[in-house]
């Protein structure tokens, strides 16, 4: 054989192995890319591949699995026989999926995004998603769902967005929102385009504002009700996107009316003649006792009750020890706690129409407030001023004297004939004899420091003994500024 011919076969095999390694980045250890699928790094796309079942085996390194637009009608428990620890996104939309096993997600515990939209699911069975403790987004819109089991969303502590729009749900799943224990991090709930005829408006009003802003109820055959109007009217005034963006689709049906009407247009219209909700804001602090007023404009009120932010009704027979309904209709809260903050609703049934008043209570997380704060601030300011005055007095009058031996002695006036020699520019002290002799002048050193701490090699010569009126003349200091003047005799 020719040597070149012998080399062709190994080179062709090497090219094939190189192509397979590009399709499967983990090589044979991680598993090969399934047929009719495209693999790119840890992404596995099998969309529009005319699959009737999930391809097997799936590579363990798969992080995103796209099986949309196929014919996978049943998702059994064995679709992933081995654990897929890296899978965080599973897309199964547009498959005609009608059955999902309650054990279908046992081997994908790290799943964060699950898309089951545009299928034929009819029920959400018990504990269907309980294995997905890290799930954040669940898409179930455009199915045929009619019933939702109360435990279908158990253990979904991290779920933030739940899309249930365009289904056949006739009962509002309030258990998903009540008390915030089932789905504590839920920030979006889409129930639009279902078959809801009534919603618990009073309990929805008690929801936090961040959740009311993402509660979508449009395109439902809702029955017109004043509580529903006030719920949406308050959301419209607060510019909640779920109301403002879909105000034309938020419609309801009046009794005996052939067509639906806009819910936000019910104010003052017959036969309901709904009134706009009134609201107030009240601020308090931990441990305080506050009274929430319910000042209705209607006379002859038939009934009145309150609804707390937690959805509890406080009727006319009073409440527990911390929440009491007074005789005039006001609600008294004692020993405020942080969980007492929120929106309180007072429902008043009048002779002509009903009215709802809302009070938003803000509870500040500290106890010093009001007059105590003012007194405390004034006291602190007064003490600060007194301390400042004391420090100034200490500085002025109690500073130690650098020349203690000079206290009580006065320097005699300089002779008249020598006064002209003391220049205002001179910084040299007046070395006069007698009682005006400077402190420490009795110590004479041949070496020492001069003015301003500078070293003077020869020291200051001693004063010569002179007689006559000129005897008190100072010796000029060579470092003094005035020495150029003092050594020159001036005749007047």
């Amino acid at each position: 054989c020719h040597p070149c011919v012998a080399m062709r076969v190994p080179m062709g095999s090497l090219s094939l192995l190189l192509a397979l390694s590009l399709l499967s980045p983990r090589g044979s250890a991680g598993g090969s890319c399934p047929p009719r699928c495209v693999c790119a790094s840890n992404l596995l796309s099998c969309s529009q591949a005319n699959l009737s079942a999930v391809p097997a085996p799936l590579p363990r390194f798969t992080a995103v699995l796209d099986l949309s637009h196929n014919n996978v009608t049943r998702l059994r428990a064995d679709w992933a026989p081995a654990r897929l620890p890296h899978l965080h996104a599973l897309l199964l939309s547009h498959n005609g999926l009608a059955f999902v096993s309650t054990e279908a997600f046992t081997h994908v515990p790290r799943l964060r995004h699950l898309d089951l939209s545009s299928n034929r699911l009819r029920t959400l069975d018990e504990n269907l998603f309980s294995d997905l403790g890290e799930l954040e987004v669940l898409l179930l819109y455009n199915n045929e769902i009619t019933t939702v089991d109360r435990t279908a969303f158990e253990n979904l502590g991290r779920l933030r967005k739940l899309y249930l729009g365009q289904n056949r749900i006739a009962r509002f799943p309030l258990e998903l929102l009540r008390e915030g224990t089932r789905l504590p991090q839920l920030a979006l709930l889409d129930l639009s385009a279902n078959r809801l005829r009534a919603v618990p408006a009073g309990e929805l009003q008690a929801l936090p504002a961040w959740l009311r802003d993402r509660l979508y109820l449009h395109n439902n055959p809702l029955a017109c009700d004043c509580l529903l109007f006030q719920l949406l009217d308050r959301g419209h005034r607060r510019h909640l996107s779920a109301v403002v963006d879909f105000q034309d689709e938020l419609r309801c049906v009046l009794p005996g009316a052939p067509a639906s009407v806009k819910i936000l247009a019910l104010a003052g219209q017959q036969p309901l003649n709904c009134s706009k909700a009134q609201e107030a804001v009240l601020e308090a602090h931990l441990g305080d006792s506050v009274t929430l007023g319910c000042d209705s404009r209607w006379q002859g009120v038939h009934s009145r009750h309150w609804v707390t932010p937690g959805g509890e009704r406080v009727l006319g027979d009073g409440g527990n020890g911390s929440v009491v309904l007074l005789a005039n209709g006001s609600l008294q809260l004692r020993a405020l706690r942080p969980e007492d903050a929120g929106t309180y609703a007072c429902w008043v049934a009048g002779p002509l129409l009903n009215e709802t008043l809302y009070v938003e209570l803000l509870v500040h997380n500290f106890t010093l407030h009001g007059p105590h704060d003012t007194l405390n601030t004034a006291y602190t300011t007064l003490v600060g001023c007194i301390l400042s005055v004391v420090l100034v007095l200490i500085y002025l009058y109690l500073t130690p004297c650098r020349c203690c031996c000079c206290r009580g002695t006065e320097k005699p006036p300089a002779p008249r004939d020598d006064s002209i020699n003391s220049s205002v520019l001179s910084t040299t002290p007046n070395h006069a004899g007698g009682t005006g002799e400077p402190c420490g002048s009795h110590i004479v050193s041949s070496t020492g420091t001069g003015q301003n701490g500078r070293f003077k090699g020869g020291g200051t010569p001693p004063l010569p003994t002179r007689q006559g009126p000129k005897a008190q003349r100072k010796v000029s200091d060579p470092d003094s500024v005035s020495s150029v003047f003092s050594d020159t005799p001036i005749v007047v």
Side-chain angles (χ1 to χ4, degrees):
C1 296
H2 196 274
C4 295
V5 176
M7 291 294 294
R8 288 177 184 175
V9 175
M11 291 297 294
S13 301
L14 181 62
S15 301
L16 179 60
L17 290 174
L18 180 60
L20 291 176
S21 64
L22 291 176
L23 290 176
S24 180
R26 301 294 178 93
S28 59
S32 60
C33 190
R36 290 185 288 181
C37 297
V38 177
C39 299
S41 182
N42 57 357
L43 308 181
L44 181 59
S45 176
C46 303
S47 179
Q48 299 182 0
N50 197 24
L51 298 174
S52 57
V54 179
L58 294 173
R60 279 179 53 86
F61 58 81
T62 304
V64 178
L65 178 58
D66 184 4
L67 294 170
S68 61
H69 297 276
N70 281 288
N71 297 316
V72 182
T73 59
R74 301 177 69 84
L75 190 66
R76 300 181 181 274
D78 58 352
W79 73 272
R83 187 180 178 90
L84 299 176
H86 305 289
L87 187 66
H88 63 79
L90 177 60
L91 312 179
L92 281 165
S93 63
H94 298 278
N95 268 280
L97 191 65
F99 170 79
V100 177
S101 172
T102 56
E103 300 178 355
F105 306 108
T106 303
H107 292 157
V108 287
R110 298 294 180 86
L111 206 62
R112 299 196 303 269
H113 183 99
L114 178 58
D115 186 0
L116 297 174
S117 63
S118 300
N119 283 293
R120 295 179 181 176
L121 296 175
R122 295 184 178 182
T123 60
L124 299 181
D125 296 330
E126 180 181 1
N127 296 319
L128 180 59
F129 306 106
S130 59
D131 293 326
L132 301 177
E134 298 185 10
L135 192 65
E136 298 178 2
V137 180
L138 178 57
L139 284 73
L140 291 166
Y141 64 87
N142 194 25
N143 275 277
E144 301 174 2
I145 301 174
T146 57
T147 58
V148 179
D149 191 89
R150 291 180 177 272
T151 63
F153 303 103
E154 287 286 346
N155 301 327
L156 298 186
R158 297 187 180 181
L159 189 65
R160 297 186 297 107
K161 298 180 180 181
L162 177 57
Y163 295 87
L164 287 168
Q166 300 183 39
N167 278 283
R168 302 175 183 178
I169 301 174
R171 186 190 66 85
F172 186 90
L174 185 62
E175 61 275 3
L176 301 180
L177 306 176
R178 183 177 293 163
E179 300 177 358
T181 56
R182 183 72 54 87
L183 302 174
Q185 297 189 21
L186 188 64
L188 186 149
L189 177 58
D190 181 14
L191 291 170
S192 62
N194 274 278
R195 298 181 179 180
L196 299 177
R197 295 186 177 275
V199 296
E203 299 189 46
L204 294 180
Q205 184 62 64
L207 294 176
W210 52 266
L211 183 52
R212 291 199 307 270
D213 193 17
R214 297 294 185 268
L215 178 60
Y216 295 90
L217 296 171
H218 55 279
N219 290 331
N220 274 286
L222 297 170
C224 293
D225 181 63
C226 286
L227 294 179
L228 176 63
F229 161 74
Q230 291 169 354
L231 171 68
L232 299 179
D233 178 66
R234 191 166 182 258
H236 186 267
R237 281 184 289 169
R238 294 194 172 193
H239 304 286
L240 301 185
S241 59
V243 179
V244 175
D245 296 342
F246 298 95
Q247 54 184 321
D248 293 335
E249 289 81 10
L250 285 167
R251 308 181 72 88
C252 63
V253 180
L254 287 168
S260 61
V261 297
K262 292 183 179 180
I263 299 178
L264 294 178
L266 292 178
Q269 291 190 6
Q270 297 296 333
L272 296 180
N273 192 23
C274 297
S275 63
K276 292 183 177 293
Q278 302 179 15
E279 58 182 339
V281 178
L282 181 62
E283 298 186 26
H285 303 80
L286 291 179
D288 280 355
S289 295
V290 297
T291 301
L292 310 182
C294 185
D295 299 327
S296 175
R297 58 179 177 172
W298 305 114
Q299 301 293 330
V301 175
H302 296 162
S303 62
R304 182 187 342 233
H305 68 273
W306 285 83
V307 177
T308 65
E312 299 179 2
R313 294 165 61 97
V314 183
L315 302 175
D317 54 353
N320 54 32
S322 60
V323 182
V324 178
L325 183 62
L326 303 180
N328 59 357
S330 300
L331 187 68
Q332 187 179 56
L333 306 176
R334 302 170 182 171
L336 288 178
R337 302 165 298 172
E339 54 267 25
D340 291 330
T343 302
Y344 292 78
C346 177
W347 293 356
V348 180
L352 299 178
L353 67 148
N354 300 332
E355 186 177 20
T356 306
L357 295 89
Y358 298 100
V359 180
E360 185 171 357
L361 178 61
L362 306 178
V363 179
H364 298 291
N365 195 19
F366 54 89
T367 55
L368 291 179
H369 59 88
H372 303 284
D373 277 346
T374 305
L375 180 59
N376 191 29
T377 304
Y379 177 75
T380 304
T381 305
L382 179 60
V383 171
C385 293
I386 293 175
L387 288 178
S388 300
V389 172
V390 171
L391 292 176
V392 171
L393 293 177
I394 291 175
Y395 177 78
L396 291 178
Y397 295 100
L398 298 181
T399 304
C401 179
R402 295 183 181 179
C403 188
C404 58
C405 60
C406 296
R407 287 189 177 275
T409 61
E410 296 182 0
K411 186 188 300 181
R416 181 178 300 177
D417 55 355
D418 198 35
S419 62
I420 195 171
N421 296 326
S422 298
S423 171
V424 294
L425 300 177
S426 177
T427 60
T428 306
N430 190 6
H431 299 280
T435 59
E437 184 177 357
C439 297
S441 60
H442 59 282
I443 300 175
V444 180
S445 175
S446 60
T447 60
T449 56
Q451 288 182 349
N452 302 325
R454 291 181 294 176
F455 181 79
K456 297 175 65 176
T460 303
L463 294 174
T465 305
R466 297 183 59 182
Q467 303 293 331
K470 300 291 185 178
Q472 300 296 330
R473 181 173 179 177
K474 301 184 300 292
V475 179
S476 64
D477 189 349
D479 289 330
S480 175
V481 179
S482 62
S483 62
V484 294
F485 300 105
S486 61
D487 288 342
T488 305
I490 299 176
V491 180
V492 180

